[in-house]
Amino acid sequence: MLSYLLLLLATLGWSFVGVLVQTAGTMTDSSVISFCRFFFGVIFLGAYLLIRDGRVRLRFGLKWIWIGALGKAVNYIFENLALNLGYSYGNILVQPVQTVVLLIAAGVLLKEKIAARGWIAAAFCVAGVIVVGWNGAPLDELARSGGLTTLLYTLAGIGAAVHVLSQRMLLKEMDNGNMNLSVFLVSTVLVALPIPLQSNGITGPVTAWACAALVLLGVITGLSFFWFAEAIKRVPFALVAIVGNCSVLFTILWAYLFFRDPITVYVLGGTLVFVVGLIVLNVPVPNRKRERPSREPLPAAPNEKAAR
């Protein structure tokens, strides 16, 4: 029962990111929000590791620590900027973009063979992103706006994919907790450096809701992947894939309930299209020719997206 609760907590945590970023945005700008997501994430993750292990083991001499930190910093910077410019459900585009980039990385960089269903899933993801980004707008209006928020979410998805790729490389040498603590600590420094030059600091009224949103974003960054990793030990894999990837549907629900963001048929339709793609990719298909179920390469593990 606890495993199902942890799975639900992780899924709900990811789905609230958009609402929390926009709530925090009533008090401060996206640069400060990016910093706080990492800063409080490091605090909560470090405290967890100290309680669990009695110590933390930071490592900064590995190149993939820095590559992963840069990728995650890019992910948060562009995601938070786009959320402040657009609707609170917009970050649903990050996950399908990340999936497509990971598939390409697995095939091109890691020379892994991608199964046919992997490319089918990628096609669903791309189609869904295009539909959501279009959102029924006239083509001339779309051309004038340049699809700015969709571009920002695409960049955020690329950054998230780089971070996931670094996780794969680093797990050969480090445990999950200390790996992410090291990466998040470097990311904190990276996003803090430009704040004195580009941030306006406090831009609105200081409220308890906005402060709580910043702290909760840190909790999600630092702890959600632990909840998810613990859940997948006992919850059936197919259920994990479906529930984890359906967090985007909760994101849309919260956007409507909290901010009354307009949810069009294009947003719903595009979302369903790329959710189908994500589920097709993640749900394992038994291979009768082998004794064990086959596994997809890099993008197939749903817990790799959880360190958000």
Side-chain angles (χ1 to χ4, degrees), residues 179-253:
M179 172 192 68
N180 279 287
L181 184 62
S182 301
V183 169
F184 293 160
L185 189 55
V186 174
S187 296
T188 304
V189 175
L190 292 178
V191 299
L193 291 175
I195 286 180
L197 300 176
Q198 70 178 39
S199 175
N200 296 316
I202 303 301
T203 58
V206 177
T207 64
W209 286 112
C211 292
L214 289 174
V215 175
L216 288 173
L217 284 167
V219 173
I220 294 170
T221 295
L223 298 181
S224 63
F225 77 97
F226 271 120
W227 299 334
F228 198 84
E230 187 65 26
I232 64 176
K233 294 177 182 178
R234 299 175 182 85
V235 177
F237 192 87
L239 181 61
V240 170
I242 293 172
V243 173
N245 288 311
C246 284
S247 64
V248 296
L249 302 179
F250 286 108
T251 299
I252 294 174
L253 176 62

Side-chain angles (χ1 to χ4, degrees), residues 1-14 227-228 230-232 235-236 239-244:
M1 188 65 183
L2 178 60
S3 297
Y4 289 91
L5 177 60
L6 292 176
L7 176 61
L8 181 61
L9 284 174
T11 301
L12 290 178
W14 303 328
W227 299 334
F228 198 84
E230 187 65 26
I232 64 176
V235 177
L239 181 61
V240 170
I242 293 172
V243 173

Side-chain angles (χ1 to χ4, degrees), residues 6 15 22 25 34 49 54 67 97 100 118 123 130 147 149 155 158-159 169 174 178 185 218 251 253 269 279:
L6 292 176
S15 71
Q22 286 213 342
S34 297
L49 293 176
I67 295 173
V97 171
V100 173
I130 291 174
T149 55
L155 295 174
I158 294 172
M169 300 302 182
M174 301 179 66
N178 287 285
L185 189 55
T251 299
L253 176 62
I279 291 175

Side-chain angles (χ1 to χ4, degrees), residues 149-164:
T149 55
T150 301
L151 174 62
L152 292 174
Y153 286 125
T154 300
L155 295 174
I158 294 172
V162 171
H163 174 241
V164 171

